[in-house]
Amino acid sequence: GDADGASLSSSSAYVGGRKAKAGASVDSKRRAKAGSTGSTATKTKTDDAPSSGTAPADPLADPNVARTRRRNARLAHGLAMAVAWLFFAPSGVLVARHGKASKTWFSTHRASGMAVAALTLLSAWYIISVRGWSTPWGKHGKTGGVILFLVSVQAVGGHYRKRFPRSKWSKWHRIFGGVSLTLGAYNCLAGAAMVGWMEVGYGNVLTAARVAVVTWIAIALALEVKRRNAAVARKRGRTA
C-alpha cells in the first residue's frame, strides 16, 4: 500500500511538473509575441511621425508675400509699358515720318521698334506669370492682347520686309504702326488709372501719363504743320 501511494504521488508530481513547464512555455511565447507587437507598434508610430528635416513652407503661400509680389509686378509692368509706348513708340514713328533727312533715321526707327517689341513682350510675360491665367481679364488686359498681336506682326514683318513688295509693305506697316501706337497710348492711360486707384501714393500717375500723351500729340501736330508748309513752299517754288 505504501509503495502504491508513493508511486501515485510520484506520478502526480511528474504530471504537475510537466503542466507547470508547459504553462511557463506558453507564458514565455505570449510575452515574446506581445513584445514583438509592441516593437512593431513603436516602429510604426516612429515611422509615421514627421521628420525634423521636412521642407519649409512655400513663402509665396503667405497672402502678404503674394500681395507684395503682385504689387511689384504691376508697377514694373506699368513702368516698362510707359517707356515703350510713351517714349520709344512715338519717337520711332516721328523719326520715320519727319526725320528722313538724317542718314541715321532708319537705324533709329528700327532700334525704337525693337525696344518697343522687347519691352512689350517681356513686360506682358512677367505680369502674366505673376497674376496667372485664372483671374478674369478686363478691358485693359484684352486690349493688351491685341497690342501683343500687332507688335508681333510688326516685328516679324519687319524682319521679312524685303520679301514683300515695297509699296504694300510700307502701307500695311504704317497702318499697323498707327493702330499699335494709338492702342498703346490708350492702354497706358487705362493702366495708369488702374495703378492710381489700386496703389497708395500713385495718384499722380494718370496725370503724368496724360501730360506725356498730350505732349507727343502737340509735337506731332507741330511737325506735321512744318512738313505741309515746306511742301507748299516747294510747290510754289516750282510754279513760280
Side-chain angles (χ1 to χ4, degrees):
D2 292 338
D4 292 340
S7 177
L8 180 61
S9 177
S10 176
S11 298
S12 298
Y14 174 77
V15 172
R18 293 197 61 181
K19 286 183 178 180
K21 186 177 181 180
S25 177
V26 171
D27 290 342
S28 177
K29 290 181 179 180
R30 286 178 179 176
R31 284 196 298 271
K33 184 177 181 181
S36 176
T37 305
S39 177
T40 304
T42 303
K43 183 178 180 181
T44 303
K45 184 177 180 180
T46 303
D47 293 342
D48 292 341
S51 62
S52 59
T54 54
D58 184 3
L60 295 181
D62 187 346
N64 293 327
V65 175
R67 190 181 303 111
T68 301
R69 186 166 180 256
R70 288 194 299 270
R71 177 180 182 273
N72 293 337
R74 282 194 297 268
L75 295 177
H77 171 78
L79 178 61
M81 288 300 189
V83 172
W85 294 101
L86 298 181
F87 178 73
F88 283 115
S91 298
V93 169
L94 293 181
V95 165
R97 176 68 174 170
H98 304 286
K100 290 184 179 179
S102 173
K103 295 181 179 180
T104 61
W105 79 267
F106 181 75
S107 59
T108 303
H109 174 71
R110 181 175 56 187
S112 298
M114 293 173 64
V116 171
L119 287 171
T120 301
L121 295 174
L122 290 175
S123 179
W125 168 81
Y126 179 54
I127 193 66
I128 291 173
S129 67
V130 173
R131 80 185 293 277
W133 292 96
S134 59
T135 306
W137 293 91
K139 191 174 183 179
H140 179 74
K142 293 177 181 178
T143 304
V146 175
I147 294 172
L148 281 176
F149 169 75
L150 294 174
V151 167
S152 300
V153 170
Q154 288 284 75
V156 175
H159 182 73
Y160 294 103
R161 67 186 185 281
K162 293 183 178 180
R163 300 186 180 186
F164 307 106
R166 185 176 181 82
S167 59
K168 290 185 177 181
W169 159 248
S170 298
K171 173 184 175 182
W172 288 107
H173 184 59
R174 285 195 298 269
I175 292 174
F176 275 72
V179 174
S180 300
L181 178 60
T182 303
L183 290 178
Y186 163 78
N187 231 27
C188 281
L189 294 175
M194 292 173 61
V195 170
W197 64 262
M198 291 178 69
E199 306 295 344
V200 178
Y202 290 87
N204 295 326
V205 171
L206 179 58
T207 301
R210 286 174 175 171
V211 169
V213 171
V214 172
T215 300
W216 280 114
I217 292 175
I219 293 174
L221 290 176
L223 291 175
E224 196 63 29
V225 170
K226 182 180 180 180
R227 176 189 176 93
R228 291 182 180 275
N229 290 339
V232 171
R234 286 195 302 269
K235 185 177 181 180
R236 288 177 178 175
R238 287 194 301 266
T239 58

